[in-house]
Amino acid sequence: MKAIQVGVMGLGTVGGGVFEVLRRNQEEIRRRAGRGIEVTMVSRRDVAKARALVGDAAQVVADPRAIIANPEIDIVVELIGGYDLARELVLEAIAAGKHVVTANKALLAVHGTEIFEAARAKGVMVAFEAAVAGGIPIIKALREGLTANRIQWLAGIINGTTNFILSEMRDKGLDFDVVLKEAQRLGYAEADPTFDIEGVDAAHKATIMSAIAFGIPVQFDKAYIEGITKLGAADIRYAEQLGYRIKLLGVSKRRDSGIELRVHPTLVPSKRLIANVEGAMNAVVVQGDAVGSTLYYGKGAGSEPTASAVIADLVDVTRLHTADPQNRVPHLAFQPDAMSPLPILPMDEVITSYYLRLRVADQAGVLAKVTGILAAANISIDAVLQREADEVCAEGGEPQTDVIILTHDTREGTMNAALAQMQALPTVLAPITRIRKEELN
Ligand code: NDP
Ligand code: HSE
């Protein structure tokens, strides 16, 4: 049978990997897909660079729309990134009757509803395994492997750049900026690395996973997002002393009244497998009612790991493109007319536990006032760590100390009110650090 024809729009880190892995493993892939998969057209603004990579094996164009216009192309792969041009190109490809494969989580987290509806109406597939956790087949697992389960929660390290930064800072004592530059050199970071360090990229991925896990529309605008830029070395150290590691987690949980969707630095018990995921590696824990806890681990970024997921989608589309569209796996796992009306909960309604660090005057009764506020708010304390006053002392001033408090679960709104009262105490000398904690058990 004639090979299926693929056009790749964007031949950068991921596009280059797709071309290379397809070329290297073409025979193995053909045996799995039932026919060859050939990249016959690629686009890149810098045409000379693209030619240097693909040689005569594919037609090189500067304009990605030339790929969509080519009637010979069956599948269009979007690897340009970003929101606007990518959205236009994907919608145009769908309108032209092409199946689409994309690694673009930003696009799907924001415009997914429009794109999936356009694809459904046209009877084509939009596949996006590479959009979440790079090479880890987490979309396949959530959408198909766990389909028997009522999923209760998921939590993941889903941004390689920030995990790499946190690991290198902790292990090697390197500065934030130095490690970020290295992540960029290695091709992990987004074109705009603020997306990585401010938690936006992880929120894109958490949004997509929550939609598939709970059968809700993609709602990136409702996600709570906090990155790692304000994280201090002292908190990483104190967390270790208390038996925790700090990770940037994407968390989504089902509650009776709605779905939690949030990305923030999180204390995770050091004994959990996910707490030991280091470097640019990603991992996602999914809790289902039947299967219990499952863990998915692997490379979440980089040229060939991401290409692995893109090509898995190409094989899926090749196998299924002649199937009746009604019998294909729905884009978001649930049938479009059976989506859940559960809302994304406002952050005040989220229930979690907390790490608090307070810089206080080292005087009698200070701790009692702080714990009194927590007790009055019905917030139960799990552990308290107080530093020796002479370890933390303002130069020439009154002795000060850091008090670290771990709490049990409470409503975020309740914690916010208690924090405001604690902050107003004259003996609390600096802004209180609050980091959320997840036991993941
Ligand atoms: P790169 O920046 O390395 O590559 C982007 C490619 O798109 C380049 O070939 C570029 O061409 C081309 N391009 C950019 N703008 C335009 C334009 N206006 N018109 C035509 N072509 C354009 O990005 P990545 O390969 O890293 O990422 C691609 C996608 O994959 C993104 O959505 C990203 O979020 C996602 N992704 C990336 C991962 C990674 O590890 N890098 C992992 C998982 C997903 P030129 O160079 O000539 O400008
Ligand atoms: N910038 C992303 C990361 C790439 O660091 O994880 C993979 O999506």
Side-chain angles (χ1 to χ4, degrees), residues 128 143-144 212 325-336:
F128 51 94
R143 197 162 50 186
E144 298 175 48
I212 297 174
Q326 299 298 323
N327 295 331
R328 294 183 189 138
V329 181
H331 291 112
L332 293 179
F334 292 75
Q335 298 298 335

Side-chain angles (χ1 to χ4, degrees), residues 199-200 202-204 206-207 210 219-226 251 259-263 344-345 347:
V200 176
H204 288 145
T207 298
S210 73
Q219 295 167 77
F220 173 72
D221 56 333
K222 308 249 173 62
Y224 173 82
I225 309 174
E226 189 181 310
V251 179
I259 304 291
E260 294 182 4
L261 175 57
R262 48 195 169 96
V263 170
I344 303 289
L345 292 170
M347 198 56 192

